[in-house]
Coordinates of all heavy atoms in Angstrom, one line a residue:
M20 N 0.8 -1.2 0.0 CA 0.0 0.0 0.0 C 0.9 1.2 0.0 O 1.8 1.3 0.8 CB -0.9 0.0 1.3 CG -1.9 -1.2 1.3 SD -3.1 -1.1 0.1 CE -4.6 -0.7 1.1
D21 N 0.6 2.1 -0.9 CA 1.4 3.4 -0.9 C 0.9 4.4 0.0 O -0.3 4.5 0.3 CB 1.3 3.9 -2.4 CG 2.1 3.1 -3.3 OD1 3.0 2.4 -2.9 OD2 1.6 3.0 -4.5
Y22 N 1.9 5.2 0.6 CA 1.5 6.3 1.5 C 0.8 7.4 0.7 O -0.3 7.8 1.1 CB 2.8 6.8 2.2 CG 2.6 7.9 3.1 CD1 1.4 8.0 3.9 CD2 3.6 8.8 3.3 CE1 1.3 9.1 4.7 CE2 3.4 9.9 4.2 CZ 2.3 10.0 4.9 OH 2.1 11.0 5.8
I23 N 1.5 7.8 -0.4 CA 0.9 8.8 -1.2 C 0.1 8.1 -2.4 O 0.7 7.4 -3.2 CB 2.0 9.7 -1.8 CG1 2.7 10.5 -0.7 CG2 1.4 10.7 -2.8 CD1 3.8 11.3 -1.2
R24 N -1.2 8.3 -2.4 CA -2.0 7.6 -3.3 C -2.2 8.4 -4.6 O -2.5 7.8 -5.7 CB -3.4 7.3 -2.7 CG -3.4 6.3 -1.6 CD -2.7 5.0 -2.2 NE -2.8 4.0 -1.1 CZ -3.8 3.2 -1.0 NH1 -4.9 3.3 -1.7 NH2 -3.8 2.3 0.0
E25 N -2.1 9.7 -4.5 CA -2.5 10.5 -5.6 C -1.9 11.9 -5.4 O -1.9 12.4 -4.3 CB -4.0 10.6 -5.7 CG -4.5 10.6 -7.1 CD -6.0 10.4 -7.1 OE1 -6.5 9.3 -6.8 OE2 -6.7 11.4 -7.4
S26 N -1.4 12.4 -6.5 CA -0.9 13.8 -6.4 C -1.2 14.4 -7.8 O -0.7 14.0 -8.8 CB 0.6 13.9 -6.1 OG 1.0 15.2 -5.9
R27 N -2.0 15.4 -7.8 CA -2.4 16.0 -9.1 C -2.6 17.5 -9.0 O -2.9 18.0 -7.9 CB -3.7 15.3 -9.6 CG -4.9 15.6 -8.7 CD -6.1 15.4 -9.5 NE -6.4 14.0 -9.6 CZ -7.7 13.5 -9.7 NH1 -8.7 14.3 -9.6 NH2 -7.9 12.2 -9.9
K28 N -2.3 18.1 -10.1 CA -2.5 19.5 -10.2 C -4.0 19.8 -10.5 O -4.6 19.2 -11.4 CB -1.6 20.0 -11.3 CG -1.3 21.5 -11.1 CD -0.1 21.9 -12.0 CE 0.4 23.2 -11.6 NZ 1.8 23.4 -11.6
R29 N -4.5 20.7 -9.8 CA -5.9 21.1 -10.0 C -5.9 22.2 -11.1 O -5.2 23.2 -11.0 CB -6.5 21.7 -8.8 CG -6.7 20.6 -7.7 CD -7.5 21.0 -6.6 NE -6.8 22.0 -5.8 CZ -7.2 22.4 -4.6 NH1 -8.2 21.8 -4.0 NH2 -6.5 23.3 -3.9
H30 N -6.7 22.0 -12.1 CA -6.7 22.9 -13.2 C -7.2 24.3 -12.9 O -6.7 25.3 -13.3 CB -7.5 22.3 -14.4 CG -6.9 21.1 -14.9 ND1 -5.7 21.0 -15.6 CD2 -7.4 19.8 -14.9 CE1 -5.5 19.8 -15.9 NE2 -6.4 19.0 -15.6
A31 N -8.2 24.3 -12.0 CA -8.9 25.6 -11.7 C -7.9 26.5 -10.9 O -7.9 27.7 -11.2 CB -10.1 25.3 -10.8
T32 N -7.1 26.0 -10.0 CA -6.3 26.9 -9.2 C -4.8 26.8 -9.4 O -4.0 27.6 -9.0 CB -6.6 26.6 -7.7 OG1 -6.3 25.2 -7.5 CG2 -8.0 26.9 -7.3
G33 N -4.4 25.7 -10.1 CA -3.0 25.5 -10.4 C -2.2 25.0 -9.2 O -1.0 24.9 -9.2
T34 N -2.9 24.6 -8.1 CA -2.3 24.0 -6.9 C -2.2 22.5 -7.0 O -3.0 21.9 -7.7 CB -3.0 24.5 -5.7 OG1 -4.4 24.1 -5.8 CG2 -3.0 25.9 -5.5
V35 N -1.3 22.0 -6.3 CA -1.1 20.5 -6.2 C -1.8 19.9 -5.0 O -1.6 20.4 -3.9 CB 0.4 20.1 -6.2 CG1 0.5 18.6 -6.1 CG2 1.0 20.6 -7.5
V36 N -2.6 18.9 -5.2 CA -3.3 18.3 -4.0 C -2.9 16.9 -3.9 O -2.8 16.1 -4.9 CB -4.9 18.3 -4.2 CG1 -5.5 17.5 -3.2 CG2 -5.4 19.8 -4.2
T37 N -2.4 16.5 -2.7 CA -1.9 15.1 -2.5 C -2.9 14.3 -1.6 O -3.4 14.9 -0.6 CB -0.5 15.1 -1.9 OG1 0.3 16.0 -2.7 CG2 0.1 13.8 -2.0
L38 N -3.1 13.1 -1.9 CA -3.9 12.2 -1.1 C -3.0 11.2 -0.3 O -2.2 10.5 -0.9 CB -4.9 11.5 -2.0 CG -5.7 10.3 -1.4 CD1 -6.6 10.8 -0.3 CD2 -6.6 9.8 -2.5
Y39 N -3.2 11.2 1.0 CA -2.4 10.3 1.9 C -3.2 9.3 2.6 O -4.4 9.6 3.0 CB -1.6 11.2 2.9 CG -0.6 12.1 2.4 CD1 -1.0 13.5 2.1 CD2 0.7 11.8 2.2 CE1 0.0 14.4 1.6 CE2 1.7 12.7 1.7 CZ 1.3 14.0 1.5 OH 2.2 14.9 1.0
D40 N -2.6 8.1 2.9 CA -3.2 7.1 3.7 C -2.6 7.1 5.1 O -1.4 6.8 5.3 CB -3.0 5.7 3.0 CG -3.6 4.6 3.8 OD1 -4.2 4.9 4.9 OD2 -3.5 3.5 3.3
T41 N -3.4 7.5 6.1 CA -2.9 7.7 7.5 C -2.6 6.3 8.1 O -2.0 6.2 9.2 CB -3.8 8.4 8.4 OG1 -5.1 7.7 8.5 CG2 -4.1 9.8 7.9
N42 N -3.0 5.2 7.5 CA -2.7 3.9 8.0 C -1.2 3.5 7.7 O -0.7 2.5 8.2 CB -3.6 2.8 7.4 CG -4.9 2.6 8.2 OD1 -5.1 3.4 9.1 ND2 -5.6 1.6 7.9
H43 N -0.6 4.2 6.8 CA 0.8 3.9 6.4 C 1.8 4.3 7.6 O 1.6 5.3 8.3 CB 1.1 4.7 5.2 CG 2.4 4.3 4.5 ND1 3.6 4.6 4.9 CD2 2.6 3.4 3.4 CE1 4.5 4.0 4.1 NE2 3.9 3.3 3.2
P44 N 2.8 3.4 7.7 CA 3.8 3.7 8.8 C 4.5 5.0 8.8 O 4.9 5.6 9.8 CB 4.8 2.5 8.6 CG 4.1 1.5 7.8 CD 3.1 2.2 7.0
D45 N 4.6 5.6 7.6 CA 5.3 6.9 7.4 C 4.3 8.1 7.7 O 4.8 9.2 7.7 CB 5.8 7.0 6.0 CG 7.0 6.1 5.8 OD1 7.6 5.7 6.7 OD2 7.3 5.9 4.6
N46 N 3.1 7.7 8.1 CA 2.1 8.8 8.2 C 2.5 9.9 9.3 O 3.0 9.5 10.4 CB 0.8 8.2 8.6 CG -0.2 9.3 8.9 OD1 -0.6 10.1 8.1 ND2 -0.7 9.3 10.2
I47 N 2.3 11.1 8.9 CA 2.5 12.2 9.9 C 1.3 13.0 10.2 O 1.3 13.9 11.0 CB 3.6 13.2 9.3 CG1 3.1 13.8 7.9 CG2 4.9 12.6 9.2 CD1 3.8 15.0 7.5
F48 N 0.1 12.5 9.6 CA -1.1 13.3 9.8 C -2.0 12.7 10.9 O -1.9 11.5 11.2 CB -1.9 13.3 8.5 CG -1.2 14.1 7.4 CD1 -0.5 13.3 6.4 CD2 -1.1 15.4 7.4 CE1 0.2 14.0 5.4 CE2 -0.4 16.1 6.4 CZ 0.2 15.4 5.4
D49 N -2.8 13.5 11.5 CA -3.8 13.0 12.5 C -4.9 12.3 11.9 O -5.7 12.9 11.1 CB -4.3 14.2 13.3 CG -5.2 13.8 14.4 OD1 -5.4 12.6 14.6 OD2 -5.7 14.7 15.1
P50 N -5.1 11.0 12.1 CA -6.1 10.2 11.5 C -7.5 10.4 12.2 O -8.5 9.7 11.7 CB -5.6 8.8 11.6 CG -4.8 8.8 12.9 CD -4.3 10.2 13.0
A51 N -7.6 11.2 13.2 CA -8.8 11.3 14.0 C -10.0 11.7 13.1 O -11.1 11.2 13.3 CB -8.6 12.3 15.1
G52 N -9.8 12.6 12.2 CA -10.9 13.1 11.4 C -11.3 12.2 10.2 O -12.3 12.4 9.5
G53 N -10.5 11.1 10.0 CA -10.8 10.2 8.9 C -9.4 9.6 8.4 O -8.4 10.3 8.5
R54 N -9.5 8.4 7.9 CA -8.2 7.7 7.5 C -7.5 8.4 6.3 O -6.3 8.4 6.2 CB -8.6 6.3 7.1 CG -7.4 5.5 6.5 CD -7.7 4.1 6.1 NE -6.6 3.5 5.4 CZ -6.7 2.3 4.9 NH1 -7.7 1.5 5.1 NH2 -5.6 1.8 4.2
W55 N -8.3 9.0 5.4 CA -7.7 9.5 4.2 C -7.6 11.0 4.3 O -8.5 11.8 4.7 CB -8.6 9.2 3.0 CG -8.7 7.7 2.9 CD1 -9.8 7.0 3.4 CD2 -7.8 6.8 2.4 NE1 -9.6 5.6 3.1 CE2 -8.4 5.5 2.5 CE3 -6.6 6.9 1.7 CZ2 -7.7 4.3 2.1 CZ3 -5.9 5.8 1.3 CH2 -6.5 4.5 1.5
V56 N -6.4 11.5 4.0 CA -6.1 13.0 4.1 C -5.7 13.6 2.8 O -4.9 13.0 2.1 CB -4.9 13.2 5.1 CG1 -4.4 14.6 5.1 CG2 -5.3 12.7 6.5
V57 N -6.4 14.6 2.5 CA -6.0 15.4 1.3 C -5.3 16.7 1.7 O -5.8 17.3 2.6 CB -7.2 15.7 0.3 CG1 -7.6 14.4 -0.5 CG2 -8.3 16.2 1.0
V58 N -4.2 17.0 1.0 CA -3.5 18.2 1.4 C -3.3 19.1 0.2 O -2.9 18.6 -0.9 CB -2.1 17.8 1.9 CG1 -1.2 19.0 2.2 CG2 -2.2 16.9 3.1
C59 N -3.6 20.4 0.4 CA -3.3 21.4 -0.7 C -1.8 21.7 -0.4 O -1.5 22.5 0.5 CB -4.2 22.6 -0.5 SG -3.8 23.9 -1.8
E60 N -0.9 21.2 -1.3 CA 0.5 21.4 -1.1 C 0.9 22.9 -1.2 O 1.9 23.3 -0.5 CB 1.3 20.6 -2.1 CG 1.0 19.1 -2.0 CD 1.6 18.4 -0.8 OE1 2.3 19.1 0.0 OE2 1.4 17.2 -0.6
D61 N 0.2 23.6 -1.9 CA 0.6 25.0 -2.1 C 0.3 25.9 -0.9 O 1.0 26.8 -0.5 CB -0.1 25.6 -3.3 CG 0.4 25.1 -4.6 OD1 0.6 23.9 -4.7 OD2 0.7 25.9 -5.5
H62 N -0.8 25.5 -0.2 CA -1.3 26.3 0.9 C -1.2 25.6 2.3 O -1.4 26.3 3.3 CB -2.7 26.8 0.7 CG -2.9 27.5 -0.6 ND1 -3.8 27.1 -1.6 CD2 -2.2 28.6 -1.2 CE1 -3.7 27.9 -2.6 NE2 -2.8 28.8 -2.4
G63 N -0.9 24.3 2.3 CA -0.8 23.6 3.5 C -2.2 23.3 4.2 O -2.2 22.8 5.3
A64 N -3.3 23.4 3.4 CA -4.6 23.1 4.0 C -4.7 21.6 4.0 O -4.3 20.9 3.1 CB -5.7 23.7 3.2
I65 N -5.3 21.0 5.1 CA -5.5 19.6 5.3 C -6.9 19.3 5.5 O -7.6 20.0 6.3 CB -4.6 19.1 6.5 CG1 -3.1 19.3 6.2 CG2 -4.9 17.7 6.8 CD1 -2.2 19.1 7.4
C66 N -7.4 18.2 4.9 CA -8.8 17.8 5.2 C -8.9 16.2 5.3 O -8.3 15.6 4.4 CB -9.7 18.3 4.1 SG -11.4 18.2 4.6
N67 N -9.5 15.7 6.3 CA -9.7 14.3 6.5 C -11.0 13.8 5.9 O -12.0 14.4 6.0 CB -9.7 13.9 8.0 CG -8.3 14.2 8.6 OD1 -7.9 15.3 8.8 ND2 -7.7 13.1 9.0
F68 N -10.9 12.5 5.4 CA -12.1 11.9 4.9 C -12.1 10.4 5.4 O -11.1 9.8 5.5 CB -12.2 11.9 3.4 CG -12.3 13.3 2.8 CD1 -11.2 14.0 2.4 CD2 -13.6 13.9 2.8 CE1 -11.3 15.3 1.9 CE2 -13.7 15.2 2.3 CZ -12.6 15.9 1.8
D69 N -13.3 9.9 5.6 CA -13.5 8.5 6.1 C -13.2 7.4 5.0 O -12.7 6.4 5.3 CB -14.9 8.2 6.6 CG -15.1 9.0 7.9 OD1 -14.1 9.2 8.7 OD2 -16.2 9.3 8.2
T70 N -13.5 7.8 3.8 CA -13.3 6.8 2.7 C -12.4 7.4 1.6 O -12.4 8.7 1.4 CB -14.6 6.4 2.1 OG1 -15.2 7.5 1.4 CG2 -15.6 5.9 3.1
I71 N -11.7 6.6 0.9 CA -10.8 7.1 -0.2 C -11.7 7.6 -1.3 O -11.3 8.5 -2.0 CB -9.9 5.9 -0.7 CG1 -8.8 6.5 -1.6 CG2 -10.7 4.8 -1.4 CD1 -7.7 5.6 -2.0
A72 N -12.9 7.1 -1.5 CA -13.8 7.6 -2.5 C -14.2 9.0 -2.2 O -14.2 9.9 -3.1 CB -15.1 6.7 -2.6
M73 N -14.5 9.3 -0.9 CA -14.8 10.7 -0.6 C -13.6 11.6 -0.8 O -13.7 12.7 -1.3 CB -15.2 10.7 0.9 CG -16.6 10.2 1.2 SD -17.9 11.4 0.6 CE -17.8 12.7 1.8
A74 N -12.4 11.1 -0.4 CA -11.2 11.9 -0.5 C -11.0 12.2 -2.0 O -10.6 13.4 -2.3 CB -10.0 11.2 0.1
R75 N -11.1 11.2 -2.8 CA -10.9 11.4 -4.3 C -11.9 12.4 -4.8 O -11.6 13.2 -5.7 CB -11.0 10.1 -5.0 CG -9.8 9.2 -4.9 CD -9.5 8.5 -6.2 NE -8.2 7.9 -6.1 CZ -8.0 6.6 -5.9 NH1 -9.0 5.8 -5.6 NH2 -6.8 6.1 -5.9
F76 N -13.1 12.3 -4.3 CA -14.2 13.1 -4.8 C -13.9 14.6 -4.5 O -14.2 15.5 -5.3 CB -15.6 12.7 -4.3 CG -16.7 13.5 -4.7 CD1 -17.2 13.4 -6.0 CD2 -17.3 14.5 -3.9 CE1 -18.3 14.2 -6.4 CE2 -18.3 15.3 -4.3 CZ -18.9 15.1 -5.5
H77 N -13.4 14.8 -3.3 CA -13.2 16.2 -2.8 C -11.9 16.8 -3.2 O -11.7 18.0 -3.1 CB -13.4 16.3 -1.3 CG -14.9 16.2 -0.9 ND1 -15.7 17.3 -1.0 CD2 -15.6 15.2 -0.5 CE1 -16.9 16.9 -0.6 NE2 -16.9 15.6 -0.3
A78 N -10.9 15.9 -3.6 CA -9.6 16.4 -3.8 C -9.5 17.5 -4.9 O -8.7 18.4 -4.7 CB -8.7 15.2 -4.3
P79 N -10.2 17.4 -5.9 CA -10.1 18.5 -6.9 C -10.9 19.8 -6.5 O -10.8 20.8 -7.2 CB -10.7 17.9 -8.2 CG -11.1 16.5 -7.9 CD -11.1 16.4 -6.4
C80 N -11.7 19.7 -5.5 CA -12.5 20.8 -5.1 C -11.8 21.8 -4.2 O -10.7 21.5 -3.7 CB -13.8 20.3 -4.3 SG -14.8 19.2 -5.3
V81 N -12.3 22.9 -4.0 CA -11.6 24.0 -3.3 C -12.3 24.3 -2.0 O -11.9 25.2 -1.3 CB -11.5 25.3 -4.1 CG1 -10.6 25.0 -5.3 CG2 -12.8 25.8 -4.5
E82 N -13.3 23.5 -1.6 CA -14.2 23.9 -0.5 C -13.5 23.8 0.9 O -13.9 24.3 1.9 CB -15.5 23.1 -0.4 CG -15.2 21.6 -0.2 CD -16.2 20.8 -1.1 OE1 -16.4 21.1 -2.2 OE2 -16.6 19.8 -0.6
W83 N -12.3 23.0 0.9 CA -11.7 22.8 2.2 C -10.3 23.6 2.3 O -9.7 23.5 3.3 CB -11.4 21.3 2.4 CG -10.9 20.6 1.2 CD1 -11.6 20.1 0.2 CD2 -9.5 20.5 0.9 NE1 -10.7 19.6 -0.7 CE2 -9.4 19.8 -0.3 CE3 -8.3 20.8 1.5 CZ2 -8.2 19.5 -0.9 CZ3 -7.1 20.5 0.9 CH2 -7.1 19.8 -0.3
C84 N -10.0 24.3 1.3 CA -8.8 25.2 1.4 C -9.2 26.6 1.2 O -9.6 27.0 0.2 CB -7.7 24.8 0.3 SG -6.3 25.9 0.3
E85 N -9.0 27.4 2.3 CA -9.4 28.8 2.3 C -8.7 29.6 1.2 O -9.3 30.5 0.6 CB -9.2 29.4 3.7 CG -10.3 29.1 4.7 CD -10.1 29.8 6.0 OE1 -9.6 30.9 5.9 OE2 -10.4 29.2 7.0
E86 N -7.4 29.3 1.0 CA -6.7 30.0 0.0 C -7.2 29.8 -1.4 O -7.4 30.7 -2.2 CB -5.2 29.6 0.1 CG -4.5 30.0 1.3 CD -4.2 31.5 1.4 OE1 -4.1 32.2 0.4 OE2 -4.1 32.0 2.5
C87 N -7.5 28.5 -1.6 CA -8.1 28.2 -3.0 C -9.5 28.7 -3.1 O -9.9 29.1 -4.2 CB -8.1 26.6 -3.1 SG -6.4 26.0 -3.4
M88 N -10.2 28.7 -2.0 CA -11.6 29.3 -2.0 C -11.5 30.8 -2.4 O -12.3 31.3 -3.1 CB -12.3 29.1 -0.7 CG -12.9 27.8 -0.5 SD -14.1 27.8 0.8 CE -13.0 27.9 2.2
G89 N -10.4 31.4 -1.8 CA -10.2 32.8 -2.1 C -10.0 33.1 -3.5 O -10.5 34.1 -4.1
V90 N -9.2 32.2 -4.2 CA -8.9 32.3 -5.6 C -10.2 32.2 -6.4 O -10.5 33.0 -7.3 CB -7.9 31.3 -6.1 CG1 -7.9 31.2 -7.6 CG2 -6.6 31.6 -5.5
N91 N -11.0 31.2 -6.0 CA -12.3 31.0 -6.7 C -13.3 32.1 -6.5 O -14.2 32.3 -7.3 CB -12.9 29.6 -6.3 CG -12.6 28.5 -7.3 OD1 -11.6 28.7 -8.0 ND2 -13.3 27.5 -7.2
N92 N -13.2 32.8 -5.4 CA -14.1 33.8 -5.1 C -13.7 35.1 -5.7 O -14.5 36.1 -5.7 CB -14.3 34.0 -3.5 CG -15.0 32.8 -2.9 OD1 -15.8 32.2 -3.6 ND2 -14.8 32.6 -1.7
D93 N -12.5 35.2 -6.3 CA -12.1 36.4 -7.0 C -12.2 36.1 -8.5 O -11.4 35.4 -9.1 CB -10.6 36.6 -6.6 CG -10.1 37.9 -7.2 OD1 -10.7 38.4 -8.2 OD2 -9.1 38.5 -6.7
P94 N -13.3 36.6 -9.1 CA -13.6 36.3 -10.5 C -12.5 36.6 -11.4 O -12.2 35.9 -12.3 CB -14.8 37.2 -10.8 CG -15.4 37.5 -9.4 CD -14.2 37.6 -8.5
D95 N -11.8 37.8 -11.2 CA -10.8 38.2 -12.1 C -9.6 37.3 -12.1 O -9.0 36.8 -13.1 CB -10.3 39.6 -11.8 CG -11.4 40.6 -12.2 OD1 -12.3 40.3 -13.0 OD2 -11.4 41.7 -11.6
L96 N -9.2 37.0 -10.8 CA -8.0 36.1 -10.7 C -8.3 34.7 -11.2 O -7.5 34.0 -11.9 CB -7.6 36.0 -9.2 CG -6.4 35.2 -8.8 CD1 -5.2 35.7 -9.6 CD2 -6.1 35.3 -7.3
Y97 N -9.5 34.2 -10.8 CA -9.9 32.9 -11.3 C -9.9 32.8 -12.8 O -9.4 31.9 -13.4 CB -11.4 32.6 -10.7 CG -11.9 31.3 -11.1 CD1 -11.3 30.1 -10.5 CD2 -13.0 31.1 -12.0 CE1 -11.8 28.9 -10.9 CE2 -13.4 29.8 -12.3 CZ -12.8 28.7 -11.7 OH -13.3 27.5 -12.1
E98 N -10.4 33.8 -13.4 CA -10.5 33.9 -14.9 C -9.1 33.8 -15.5 O -8.9 33.1 -16.4 CB -11.2 35.2 -15.3 CG -11.6 35.2 -16.7 CD -12.9 34.4 -17.0 OE1 -13.3 33.7 -16.1 OE2 -13.3 34.4 -18.2
S99 N -8.2 34.6 -14.9 CA -6.8 34.6 -15.4 C -6.1 33.3 -15.3 O -5.4 32.9 -16.1 CB -6.0 35.7 -14.7 OG -5.7 35.4 -13.4
I100 N -6.4 32.6 -14.2 CA -5.8 31.2 -14.0 C -6.4 30.2 -15.0 O -5.7 29.5 -15.6 CB -6.0 30.8 -12.6 CG1 -5.2 31.6 -11.6 CG2 -5.7 29.3 -12.4 CD1 -5.5 31.4 -10.1
V101 N -7.7 30.3 -15.1 CA -8.4 29.3 -16.0 C -8.0 29.5 -17.4 O -7.8 28.5 -18.2 CB -9.9 29.5 -15.8 CG1 -10.6 28.7 -16.9 CG2 -10.4 29.0 -14.5
R102 N -7.8 30.7 -17.8 CA -7.4 31.0 -19.2 C -5.9 31.0 -19.5 O -5.5 31.1 -20.6 CB -8.0 32.4 -19.6 CG -9.5 32.4 -19.6 CD -10.0 33.8 -20.0 NE -11.5 33.8 -19.9 CZ -12.3 33.3 -20.8 NH1 -11.9 32.6 -21.8 NH2 -13.6 33.3 -20.6
A103 N -5.1 30.9 -18.4 CA -3.7 30.8 -18.6 C -3.2 29.6 -19.4 O -3.8 28.6 -19.3 CB -2.9 30.9 -17.3
Ligands
LIG212 ZN1 -5.1 25.7 -1.6

């Protein structure tokens, strides 16, 4: 089982989101909120999920990273990133 399950660049914000398994021996994250952890590598935002399916579903979203939410809430900036 791999510690890092997924690492992908989000098209909307240009940030990298990584999916971690807290059951892995190398784990450094608190598993209390859920086994699967998604991290916005650019902003350091962390969000726990109970299932890998939920984590995968939410990984491309910006609802759990305030910085990314800020980008999405700024129409001009969002537009410039999307069109870049
Ligand atoms: Zn972010």
Side-chain angles (χ1 to χ4, degrees):
M20 297 292 250
D21 292 329
Y22 179 33
I23 296 174
R24 290 306 184 85
E25 216 169 288
S26 187
R27 64 159 76 148
K28 204 164 190 138
R29 292 188 293 197
H30 296 296
T32 56
T34 54
V35 175
V36 173
T37 311
L38 171 56
Y39 296 92
D40 181 358
T41 61
N42 271 12
H43 194 278
D45 289 343
N46 174 59
I47 57 163
F48 297 103
D49 182 2
R54 175 179 169 182
W55 304 96
V56 171
V57 284
V58 178
C59 178
E60 301 288 358
D61 288 47
H62 305 127
I65 296 168
C66 196
N67 291 68
F68 294 98
D69 289 331
T70 66
I71 192 169
M73 283 290 287
R75 282 216 169 102
F76 179 76
H77 286 281
C80 300
V81 296
E82 65 218 41
W83 46 272
C84 174
E85 280 185 32
E86 295 287 335
C87 286
M88 275 196 292
V90 169
N91 261 19
N92 289 337
D93 183 337
D95 290 338
L96 183 55
Y97 182 67
E98 193 76 355
S99 70
I100 290 169
V101 168
R102 292 182 187 282

